[in-house]
Amino acid sequence: MLTIGQLASYAGVTVRAVRHYHQIGLLPEPERDASGYRRYGAGAVVTLLKIRALADAGVPLSEITALLRADEADFTAAIHRIDGRLSEEITRLETSRKQIAQLAAGNSGGLPPEVLAYLDRLREIGVSERVVEAERDGWILVSARWPDQVRTWMPFKFAQLEDPRMVRLYLVLSTLVDGGLAGESLTEEDAHRLMEEAADIMAELSEEAYAAGETAGQGDPADELPYDLLDALADEAHPGARMMRDLMRERGWTSWTRQEKLPERM
């Protein structure tokens, strides 16, 4: 006969665990003998070893009692159910690990790697960090609404950067957002000229894409909220955003965040 300490040691658990199993009714607690000690027989050792095996496998303690009493068919069915739950939990944890890795790499918005690569490409062509950060925040909004589509849009976005006009657009926006070139301040007249240039480029590119039926990067046109949020994000980031929208409307487009033409005036 074993003491509680010997029982725990043999089964590879702590005395505290054995006492907990007693408290929740998982392991019967023997009566004290004449010397005042509780003694455990071989059956208790076997039961405790089964409990430990099930607990180590991730079976909740609340389900172990039923499993200990189940016949082979019920035991197998219960284990399959538990395995299914554990598989789902493993998938969730793997997803969490990927998200943690993205956060550790500075990807605070949990963006897909294709978008991160695009942001890096913007930096390579000389786009200012403030514009890159604004672009990143915009992609966070878009990715939250259309997570599955974003990856399919990125090849088109990369192809756009092969067009010198798109590169020029980003550089013009960088100058506007940063308030001028290095060592120079931007006058009101210069700012207006650059905004007109940016609007001209965006209208020209939008017209070409519209005519060719190329709407990559567009979500559901009927879903207004993401576009409204993008406009609001731009307004919060720079005071000239509203003027840019007005300039785009003058050129026949609803905004600079979507390829949607205004109805032609009669």
Side-chain angles (χ1 to χ4, degrees), residues 21-59:
Y21 297 155
H22 288 330
Q23 291 174 358
I24 63 176
L26 195 54
L27 180 68
E29 186 174 22
E31 297 293 333
R32 296 184 185 274
D33 61 16
S35 302
Y37 292 101
R38 300 186 191 279
R39 301 290 180 175
Y40 298 84
V45 177
V46 172
T47 299
L48 183 56
L49 287 169
K50 289 180 178 179
I51 293 170
R52 176 193 162 189
L54 291 168
D56 286 350
V59 178

Side-chain angles (χ1 to χ4, degrees), residues 236-252:
E236 294 169 11
H238 194 275
R242 293 180 184 275
M243 180 178 176
M244 186 64 72
R245 282 204 302 279
D246 291 340
L247 291 173
M248 290 301 292
R249 291 182 69 85
E250 290 176 5
R251 288 157 176 77

Side-chain angles (χ1 to χ4, degrees), residues 212-250:
E214 297 173 349
T215 57
Q218 293 285 309
D220 181 1
D223 189 355
E224 294 285 339
L225 182 57
Y227 298 112
D228 292 341
L229 288 173
L230 286 172
D231 285 339
L233 184 67
D235 291 344
E236 294 169 11
H238 194 275
R242 293 180 184 275
M243 180 178 176
M244 186 64 72
R245 282 204 302 279
D246 291 340
L247 291 173
M248 290 301 292
R249 291 182 69 85
E250 290 176 5

Side-chain angles (χ1 to χ4, degrees), residues 162-179:
E162 298 300 318
D163 188 330
R165 295 173 297 175
M166 182 62 74
V167 175
R168 174 60 184 170
L169 173 61
Y170 271 111
L171 297 181
V172 169
L173 293 175
S174 295
T175 302
L176 284 166
V177 170
D178 289 347

Side-chain angles (χ1 to χ4, degrees), residues 40-173:
Y40 298 84
V45 177
V46 172
T47 299
L48 183 56
L49 287 169
K50 289 180 178 179
I51 293 170
R52 176 193 162 189
L54 291 168
D56 286 350
V59 178
L61 294 181
S62 60
E63 300 182 28
I64 289 179
T65 299
L67 288 175
L68 292 175
R69 298 170 180 169
D71 59 26
E72 184 175 354
D74 289 341
F75 182 88
T76 300
I79 289 298
H80 278 294
R81 287 195 301 271
I82 294 168
D83 181 62
R85 291 204 305 267
L86 289 174
S87 295
E88 292 175 358
E89 181 66 9
I90 288 171
T91 299
R92 186 189 67 78
L93 291 173
E94 287 176 344
T95 300
S96 294
R97 287 199 67 195
K98 292 178 182 178
Q99 292 171 339
I100 290 296
Q102 290 179 338
L103 293 173
N107 180 14
S108 60
L111 290 170
E114 295 86 349
V115 175
L116 297 178
Y118 180 75
L119 298 177
D120 286 339
R121 180 61 184 140
L122 293 183
R123 294 184 179 97
E124 291 172 2
I125 65 175
V127 178
S128 77
E129 193 58 32
R130 289 180 64 187
V131 171
V132 172
E133 289 175 358
E135 183 92 11
R136 176 205 62 202
D137 291 348
W139 280 110
I140 289 173
L141 288 175
V142 171
S143 297
R145 197 66 162 187
W146 300 302
D148 297 331
Q149 293 97 315
V150 165
R151 284 186 170 88
T152 66
W153 298 338
M154 298 321 296
F156 178 81
K157 298 299 293 183
F158 274 101
Q160 283 185 316
L161 294 181
E162 298 300 318
D163 188 330
R165 295 173 297 175
M166 182 62 74
V167 175
R168 174 60 184 170
L169 173 61
Y170 271 111
L171 297 181
V172 169
L173 293 175

